[in-house]
């Protein structure tokens, strides 16, 4: 039976690049992009697109039946900084979309689900260094609360109903193809645009705020690798810890200055500083590396080179 994938939230930062990669792997017509809003020109023209509210179970089912969808990647979510401003709306989107898709799998309309968790599941009481796979999860943000709850729902549906749901706890994701979408780690995306456009950047986090980060190429590859892994090798259903690099705004600025010597950074921490301070600095992702051979390719140096080169050439 051929793989046909519906990507909910395909117009977002991760969705855009993940959809592109999936279309390369499985064929354009076998990857159905969907979102509540239209996406990039390439996303809209390279394969099927359906306008869907990710909380509307019936609308999702209609698209599944229309295309013979076998897997759903649920990326629609309200991210950390935006969710703090609209808690109820964030909770409704983040929870109801997941429950809708889990129910569709339970009812045997689809075979497999991908749903991303996040380092936001951790909180001020979580060990900051080498954060373990199983540890204290007492998040202090609406986004984190929704992700912890989502992880428990994924476990529940897998244990009770045999739903094949898979998840990764993404660190901060850095890309250049799509502008940031309201997350606390967005500075590490925005800084590259501002470095090239203005030669200066005002950072909303303090200079020594260490956070776990990952280049988009690695995040996309990890997602697909997990979904292609043999189910019998997977020991985690609520969300695998995932890591690549950790750095501070000061360190990313120093790396950029190697390429743009007159680049200047200033610091003006806002409400996002408190969110960042509640998150880990480094992550232990040995479970992912052992279970399905996860391996990252990019560090701060190689990522910076790739982003600046790509932005200059676009």
């Amino acid at each position: 039976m051929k793989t046909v994938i519906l990507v909910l939230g395909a117009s977002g930062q991760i969705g855009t690049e993940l959809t592109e990669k999936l279309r390369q792997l499985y064929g354009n017509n076998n990857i159905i992009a969907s979102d509540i809003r239209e996406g990039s020109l390439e996303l809209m023209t390279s394969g099927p697109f359906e306008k869907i509210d990710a909380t509307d179970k019936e609308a999702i089912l209609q698209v599944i039946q229309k295309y013979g969808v076998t897997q759903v990647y649920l990326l629609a979510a309200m991210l950390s900084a935006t969710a703090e401003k609209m808690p109820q709306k964030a909770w409704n989107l983040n929870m109801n979309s997941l429950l809708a898709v889990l129910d569709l799998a339970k009812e045997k309309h689809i075979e497999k689900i991908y749903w991303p968790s996040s380092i936001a599941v951790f909180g001020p009481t979580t060990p900051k260094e080498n954060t373990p796979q199983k540890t204290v999860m007492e998040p202090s943000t609406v986004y984190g609360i929704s992700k912890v709850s989502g992880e428990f729902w994924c476990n529940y549906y897998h244990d009770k109903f045999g739903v094949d749901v898979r998840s990764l706890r993404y660190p901060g994701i850095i890309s250049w193809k799509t502008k940031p979408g309201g997350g606390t780690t967005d500075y590490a995306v925005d800084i590259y645009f501002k470095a090239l456009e203005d030669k200066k950047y005002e950072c909303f986090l303090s200079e020594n705020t260490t956070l776990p980060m990952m280049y988009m190429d690695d995040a996309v590859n990890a997602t697909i690798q997990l979904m292609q892994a043999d189910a019998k090798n997977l020991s985690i259903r609520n969300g695998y810890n995932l890591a690549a690099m950790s750095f501070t705004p000061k360190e990313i600025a120093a790396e950029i200055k190697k390429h743009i010597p007159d680049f200047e950074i200033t610091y003006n921490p806002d409400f996002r500083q408190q969110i960042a301070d509640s998150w880990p600095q480094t992550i232990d992702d040995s479970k992912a590396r052992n279970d399905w051979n996860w391996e990252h390719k990019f560090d701060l140096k190689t990522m910076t080179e790739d982003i600046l080169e790509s932005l200059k050439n676009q």
Side-chain angles (χ1 to χ4, degrees), residues 26-295:
Y26 294 103
N28 288 357
N29 291 331
N30 295 322
I31 309 300
I32 321 307
S34 74
D35 209 304
I36 203 160
R37 61 188 169 87
E38 293 191 347
S40 66
L41 184 64
E42 188 176 357
L43 179 84
M44 302 298 293
T45 56
S46 62
F49 180 88
E50 295 281 345
K51 197 169 184 181
I52 309 177
D53 175 348
T55 63
D56 187 341
K57 183 184 169 186
E58 285 309 309
I60 297 169
L61 178 57
Q62 283 176 14
V63 172
I64 286 169
Q65 291 171 336
K66 177 179 174 181
Y67 293 96
V69 169
T70 58
Q71 300 180 17
V72 171
Y73 285 52
L74 171 57
L75 304 173
M78 194 177 290
L79 301 183
S80 58
T82 310
E84 289 304 294
K85 297 171 185 171
M86 296 182 275
Q88 191 67 51
K89 199 171 179 183
W91 175 260
N92 289 341
L93 170 59
N94 296 358
M95 281 295 91
N96 293 341
S97 58
L98 176 59
L99 288 169
V101 173
L102 286 169
D103 273 338
L104 289 167
K106 174 191 163 189
E107 293 157 11
K108 308 296 185 196
H109 296 293
I110 47 176
E111 297 166 5
K112 202 185 284 190
I113 297 169
Y114 176 73
W115 173 80
S117 188
S118 161
I119 57 167
V121 296
F122 305 123
T125 53
T126 304
K128 293 253 184 269
E129 298 288 340
N130 221 23
T131 303
Q133 175 66 46
K134 293 194 174 181
T135 186
V136 180
M137 294 196 294
E138 295 179 336
S140 56
T141 64
V142 175
Y143 180 63
I145 292 166
S146 72
K147 287 298 181 186
V148 167
S149 305
E151 285 197 10
F152 283 120
W153 279 119
C154 288
N155 253 352
Y156 182 82
Y157 272 76
H158 176 259
D159 293 346
K160 289 274 182 183
F161 310 117
V163 169
D164 188 353
V165 58
R166 305 175 182 204
S167 179
L168 297 169
R169 290 173 182 157
Y170 286 136
I173 305 295
I174 303 166
S175 67
W176 57 270
K177 288 186 181 177
T178 311
K179 289 282 180 92
T184 299
T185 54
D186 280 354
Y187 89 85
V189 179
D190 212 22
I191 193 169
Y192 290 105
F193 288 94
K194 294 290 196 298
L196 285 168
E197 290 164 11
D198 308 328
K199 304 283 195 293
K200 63 176 191 282
Y201 178 66
E202 182 175 274
C203 186
F204 54 74
L205 298 180
S206 64
E207 63 178 351
N208 293 316
T209 307
T210 303
L211 286 171
M213 300 283 193
M214 180 174 287
Y215 194 30
M216 180 65 82
D217 291 39
D218 278 333
V220 166
N221 287 336
T223 304
I224 293 168
Q225 203 179 333
L226 173 66
M227 287 298 278
Q228 290 179 340
D230 192 321
K232 71 176 188 295
N233 295 330
L234 304 181
S235 61
I236 306 288
R237 290 294 177 161
N238 56 321
Y240 276 97
N241 275 5
L242 196 69
M245 54 184 137
S246 290
F247 55 77
T248 65
K250 189 177 180 180
E251 287 167 335
I252 194 174
E255 200 59 48
I256 289 170
K257 277 179 82 76
K258 292 176 185 176
H259 302 269
I260 307 171
D262 51 349
F263 173 67
E264 298 293 334
I265 186 168
T266 55
Y267 303 94
N268 185 20
D270 65 12
F271 73 99
R272 287 167 284 197
Q273 183 65 50
Q274 194 176 356
I275 298 174
D277 289 342
S278 75
W279 288 351
Q281 296 179 350
T282 56
I283 301 283
D284 174 7
D285 64 350
S286 52
K287 271 285 183 193
R289 293 178 189 269
N290 293 334
D291 284 7
W292 43 277
N293 301 317
W294 157 242
E295 211 174 319

